[in-house]
Amino acid sequence: MRVDLLCSGSKGNSCLVTSGDARLLIDCGSTKRYLTQALAQVDVRVEDLLAVLITHSHSDHISQLKLVKDVPLFSCCELKEGVRKHRIMPGDWFILGPFRITVIALSHDAPGGCVGYKIDDGTSTLVYVTDTGFVPNAARDVLAGADAYVFESNHDVEKLMATNRPMYLKQRILSASGHLNNADSAHCLSEIVTGKTKEVILAHLSDEANTPDLALEAFHEGFASQGLNDSGIRVQCGQQKVITSTEEF
């Protein structure tokens, strides 16, 4: 399996998952121009996609539904009027081509709910978790031991509080239905990553309230505080308009 995180952040989110000739897209945010160019950059056309998996209904994750309207869509939430989709629910699992996909309940203030995905192609496993205020304990056994993670590390708390954002917005981000901060992300990953894990992409970093250096520092400190060695894991930070790719895993 291989992951190409096409874009990640408050202005757009989309992730391509490839196994052999089978390709899944998780979310379809960003602009039409950028998303089309990003897919072309990894030599994929929209018609090549097996399906699109939607995490939730916020616009930075579904703004290009029209672009992928002819591709099978899977979503736990209602989408724009006229968009046909397959309804999925947390706890469900289903098969698409070589992929066994498990739907994971998350905690985010999106109408209709928010989910993550565990994707297994029979050889390797990816966990995709973004846009959640916390990771439910009930989900951690399901998430543990994947080969690769795309995992939210949205903000540094001190940096967030120093921004000029209104207090209600800061409180929303910090809440149990907001976004994972760097330290909580690192702590959760330290509990679910195993010796099998090869790749971690820290995702949905805030432009204003985070930096890649802060997210990476928190990741390494989180593992060190648990007495864990993370030297065998390739760790990267997703970016808003730069593709972040894993090795084959």
Side-chain angles (χ1 to χ4, degrees):
M1 204 184 304
R2 171 189 166 96
V3 168
D4 295 291
L5 190 59
L6 305 180
C7 52
S8 183
S10 59
K11 297 181 180 66
N13 297 271
S14 189
C15 180
L16 181 72
V17 182
T18 302
S19 178
D21 294 330
R23 299 175 179 89
L24 294 174
L25 196 67
I26 304 175
D27 287 339
C28 53
S30 196
T31 64
K32 180 179 179 180
R33 180 180 180 182
Y34 176 77
L35 194 54
T36 303
Q37 289 177 343
L39 286 169
Q41 193 173 328
V42 292
D43 199 26
V44 174
R45 301 167 300 168
V46 169
E47 51 265 38
D48 297 329
L49 298 173
L50 184 62
V52 179
L53 310 179
I54 300 298
T55 60
H56 64 291
S57 60
H58 285 160
S59 61
D60 56 319
H61 294 259
I62 62 166
S63 59
Q64 297 310 314
L65 282 173
K66 188 174 181 180
L67 179 65
V68 296
K69 63 182 176 60
D70 295 325
V71 180
L73 290 168
F74 292 78
S75 176
C76 69
C77 54
E78 293 302 319
L79 301 173
K80 295 178 181 178
E81 186 176 347
V83 175
R84 299 175 60 189
K85 66 178 178 62
H86 300 276
R87 182 71 182 271
I88 54 175
M89 298 295 291
D92 288 351
W93 65 270
F94 54 101
I95 303 292
L96 289 173
F99 301 110
R100 186 185 194 274
I101 300 161
T102 303
V103 186
I104 301 159
L106 299 178
S107 177
H108 192 55
D109 57 357
C114 181
V115 298
Y117 295 101
K118 180 180 180 179
I119 302 173
D120 190 324
D121 69 352
T123 302
S124 54
T125 305
L126 165 71
V127 162
Y128 187 95
V129 168
T130 72
D131 295 76
T132 191
F134 71 102
V135 177
N137 287 332
R140 297 197 183 198
D141 285 346
V142 178
L143 302 179
D147 295 274
Y149 291 86
V150 175
F151 210 82
E152 178 169 65
S153 191
N154 177 256
H155 61 279
D156 173 82
V157 174
E158 184 176 342
K159 195 170 176 63
L160 172 65
M161 296 308 294
T163 67
N164 292 323
R165 295 177 177 182
M167 183 54 68
Y168 79 86
L169 180 55
K170 294 176 183 178
Q171 290 173 333
R172 171 194 170 256
I173 293 167
L174 292 167
S175 75
S177 57
H179 290 277
L180 275 181
N181 66 55
N182 291 342
D184 287 347
S185 172
H187 179 74
C188 184
L189 281 166
S190 75
E191 294 186 330
I192 60 178
V193 160
T194 69
K196 183 182 178 186
T197 304
K198 305 174 185 70
E199 297 268 0
V200 171
I201 299 178
L202 302 176
H204 217 299
L205 273 66
S206 168
D207 286 339
E208 216 181 334
N210 208 357
T211 67
D213 285 346
L214 285 171
L216 291 169
E217 181 182 15
F219 177 89
H220 295 304
E221 287 182 353
F223 274 67
S225 70
Q226 301 297 317
L228 300 173
N229 183 354
D230 61 18
S231 62
I233 305 170
R234 183 176 185 235
V235 190
Q236 305 178 77
C237 290
Q239 300 183 59
Q240 188 61 82
K241 288 199 171 181
V242 177
I243 299 171
T244 307
S245 301
T246 66
E247 304 288 348
E248 296 281 342
F249 59 89

